[in-house]
């Protein structure tokens, strides 16, 4: 089992799919300004031999408007995250609560979650996603619905990527890393991975490799080399593409082993 995030991620735009994520979040920027924001979390679960299709962004009618037959309601909502194995890319939004400072300055939220999968922006825009999490959503719910199915798929031998996108302050770090008393997707995923591989220790041998990259201002760094957090030539990496390997980060450290 290899944890092949960067490669899987870079495959997504080739299928012309990741653009939808960008469009959604770009739309939110325009409408929401700097205050109440949704963090977009695109979950790519890439299956072999090819990606199956999925629609990333479906505008849906707002309250009061009849739903047209071209925009059927998706009844499944959040449960679809765990069960719809036919869709390889899922897009989820999470709105963080308004901060005390924003509230004290008189800001109000312009984004809201309707049902389990619809995000509204202002009074007359609504987007249907694979799931939408509101300001009261808990870290464990986000993990169970969004990340655990991907870790399960990784243990079945698929590549999996969880990609968080959103402007500064929208809640990416909180969702992915979390706080000490509210761990996010990353610590929960590692704990779950350890739990699942330990459970199967009698019947299977897993080989887990871990790479940790930073992509910031178009510069990629390996954060697991000594002094990797500092900006220096020795940890600078490049994205390459070959016919055999597709798109990959050349020379990235893979740490780990069998267990
Ligand atoms: P980003 O990494 O996208 O720049 P942060 O994760 O740092 O944003 O979030 C900005 C602030 O909002 C932080 O103080 C964080 O603790 C808080 N925050 C973000 N998401 C939530 C949430 N779902 N519930 C409570 N607080 C949140
Ligand atoms: Mg951050």
């Amino acid at each position: 089992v290899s944890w092949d995030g960067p490669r899987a991620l870079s495959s997504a735009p080739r299928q012309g799919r990741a653009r939808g994520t960008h469009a959604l979040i770009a739309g939110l920027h325009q409408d929401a300004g700097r205050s109440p924001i949704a963090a977009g979390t695109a979950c790519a679960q890439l299956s072999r031999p090819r990606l199956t299709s999925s629609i990333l962004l479906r505008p849906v009618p707002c309250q009061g408007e009849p739903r047209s037959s071209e925009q059927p309601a998706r009844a499944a909502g959040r449960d679809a995250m765990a069960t719809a194995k036919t869709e390889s890319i899922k897009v989820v939004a999470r709105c963080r609560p308004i901060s005390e400072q924003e509230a004290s300055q008189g800001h109000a939220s312009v984004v809201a979650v309707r049902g389990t999968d619809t995000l509204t922006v202002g009074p007359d825009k609504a987007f249907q996603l694979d799931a939408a999490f509101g300001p009261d959503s808990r870290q464990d719910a986000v993990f169970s619905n969004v990340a655990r199915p991907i870790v399960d798929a990784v243990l079945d031998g698929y590549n999996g990527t969880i990609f968080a996108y959103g402007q500064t302050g929208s809640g990416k770090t909180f969702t992915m890393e979390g706080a000490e008393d509210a761990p996010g997707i990353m610590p929960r995923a590692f704990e779950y991975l350890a739990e699942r591989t330990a459970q199967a220790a009698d019947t299977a041998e897993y080989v887990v490799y871990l790479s940790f990259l930073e992509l910031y201002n178009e510069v990629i760094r390996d954060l697991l080399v000594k002094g990797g957090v500092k900006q220096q030539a020795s940890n600078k990496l490049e994205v390459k593409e070959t016919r055999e390997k597709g798109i990959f980060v050349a020379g990235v450290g893979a740490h780990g082993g069998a267990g």
Side-chain angles (χ1 to χ4, degrees):
V1 176
S2 83
W3 189 276
D4 200 0
R7 171 129 191 260
L9 178 62
S10 62
S11 305
R14 290 166 131 203
Q15 306 292 329
R17 303 231 139 266
R19 287 171 189 281
T21 322
H22 195 270
L24 167 70
I25 305 306
L28 286 177
H29 287 186
Q30 260 177 11
D31 286 280
R34 272 199 61 87
S35 337
I37 298 304
T41 308
C43 306
Q45 189 175 306
L46 303 177
S47 50
R48 296 187 187 100
R50 63 184 174 82
L51 282 171
T52 54
S53 67
S54 91
I55 298 165
L56 293 189
L57 193 58
R58 307 168 201 82
V60 294
C62 274
Q63 245 130 18
E65 282 178 57
R67 285 177 185 269
S68 84
S69 57
E70 286 162 356
Q71 297 164 330
R74 279 181 106 217
R78 266 177 215 169
D79 289 344
M81 292 300 297
T83 54
K85 299 242 164 169
T86 50
E87 296 203 9
S88 55
I89 297 183
K90 296 179 190 305
V91 178
V92 170
R94 187 183 198 187
C95 305
R96 68 159 170 79
I98 285 265
S99 70
E100 274 174 31
Q101 192 190 0
E102 287 162 344
S104 72
Q105 290 168 350
H107 293 294
S109 185
V110 297
V111 289
V113 166
R114 205 168 73 205
T116 55
D117 64 359
T118 302
L119 184 74
T120 62
V121 182
D124 49 28
K125 280 203 189 110
F127 299 95
Q128 194 168 19
L129 302 122
D130 290 294
F133 294 89
D136 299 329
S137 62
R138 293 166 47 110
Q139 300 281 60
D140 56 350
V142 173
F143 173 76
S144 310
N145 286 287
V146 173
R148 192 160 53 202
I150 294 176
V151 181
D152 285 332
V154 165
L155 290 166
D156 286 339
Y158 296 102
N159 291 333
T161 297
I162 300 169
F163 176 66
Y165 187 90
Q167 75 181 83
T168 298
S170 61
K172 300 180 297 297
T173 300
F174 183 85
T175 295
M176 297 304 287
E177 290 179 18
E180 208 164 334
D181 57 347
I185 283 176
M186 281 158 61
R188 284 172 197 270
F190 290 129
E191 195 180 328
Y192 182 63
L193 192 62
E195 205 178 283
R196 284 277 323 262
T197 51
Q199 271 168 11
D202 293 342
T203 53
E205 183 179 273
Y206 288 98
V207 184
V208 179
Y209 292 106
L210 180 75
S211 306
F212 194 24
L213 304 179
E214 175 190 80
L215 173 54
Y216 183 67
N217 282 347
E218 293 176 29
V219 176
I220 305 175
R221 287 179 196 285
D222 190 335
L223 296 180
L224 294 183
V225 301
K226 212 165 171 226
V229 285
K230 290 202 212 101
Q231 310 227 330
Q232 54 193 24
S234 65
N235 60 32
K236 216 167 141 181
L237 300 170
E238 279 177 39
V239 174
K240 304 226 153 114
E241 182 170 18
T242 64
R243 193 178 301 218
E244 296 74 37
K245 290 177 80 174
I247 298 168
F248 62 101
V249 179
V252 62
H255 308 261

